[in-house]
Amino acid sequence: MKSFVLPLILVMASSNLFAAGNVSSFLKSLEKLDGQEGRVSSNTNERGTGECQIEILKDTQSTSIYFRNTGYYFTPVAHAFSDSAELVDASTLLVSEDSNRPGGDACGSYGGESGYKKTITLYGDSVTIRETFRCFLFKKYDFSFTCKL
């Protein structure tokens, strides 16, 4: 039994390094899109310009992706922190499971949010920022913004 412990530890450590490397590769793929322009779509029924420009801002701890020039009330944005982002699959990066912000969580000052997830999906020539959560265990929200290059 003890002879299996070291190989198991090595496999677990290598899988964590592999996942970290894949997050880095995913973020590098996003960085290559900085300045690209395309068509924006959303499931929010909000009218905008129909256009988008991808802006990537990077510092020592995070990579932020913005969809600029959309004309939406809120600029679609996702912040991927290198120590907490994780790859869900080859094309989707989970950037946050915490909606806490000044003034409350995603459901407002009274809170009640559950199941929060914010992801970035890079698939073909499209980038999607998606945010899903429930408020007070009843109303489900699913906001999705896609910039097709």
Side-chain angles (χ1 to χ4, degrees):
M1 175 92 165
K2 290 183 182 179
S3 62
F4 293 109
V5 173
L6 183 58
L8 179 62
I9 290 171
L10 290 174
V11 167
M12 290 174 58
S14 67
S15 68
N16 286 341
L17 290 173
F18 179 72
N22 283 340
V23 168
S24 178
S25 295
F26 187 92
L27 292 174
K28 285 186 193 310
S29 296
L30 277 176
E31 289 172 26
K32 292 177 185 175
L33 301 177
D34 188 31
Q36 296 284 323
E37 295 181 355
R39 306 291 298 161
V40 71
S41 60
S42 172
N43 67 350
T44 63
N45 295 326
E46 186 176 356
R47 293 185 185 200
T49 62
E51 300 172 0
C52 56
Q53 180 180 24
I54 294 179
E55 180 182 13
I56 307 291
L57 298 177
K58 186 175 169 111
D59 63 26
T60 57
Q61 297 177 353
S62 68
T63 301
S64 299
I65 180 169
Y66 295 86
F67 292 174
R68 300 288 189 195
N69 305 325
T70 63
Y72 295 141
Y73 184 73
F74 292 106
T75 299
V77 61
H79 307 287
F81 292 92
S82 50
D83 62 342
S84 62
E86 62 183 73
L87 221 47
V88 175
D89 57 40
S91 61
T92 304
L93 183 68
L94 175 66
V95 295
S96 182
E97 291 184 294
D98 182 7
S99 77
N100 288 331
R101 54 194 81 164
D105 60 26
C107 296
S109 14
Y110 297 106
E113 165 273 312
S114 67
Y116 182 87
K117 289 188 191 291
K118 190 164 202 172
T119 60
I120 302 171
T121 302
L122 178 58
Y123 188 76
D125 62 349
S126 296
V127 180
T128 300
I129 297 174
R130 185 173 184 196
E131 192 172 12
T132 59
F133 57 94
R134 286 190 182 276
C135 288
F136 303 108
L137 301 175
F138 298 108
K139 177 78 172 157
K140 183 173 182 175
Y141 292 93
D142 183 351
F143 302 116
S144 178
F145 301 90
T146 299
C147 185
K148 183 174 173 67
L149 307 172

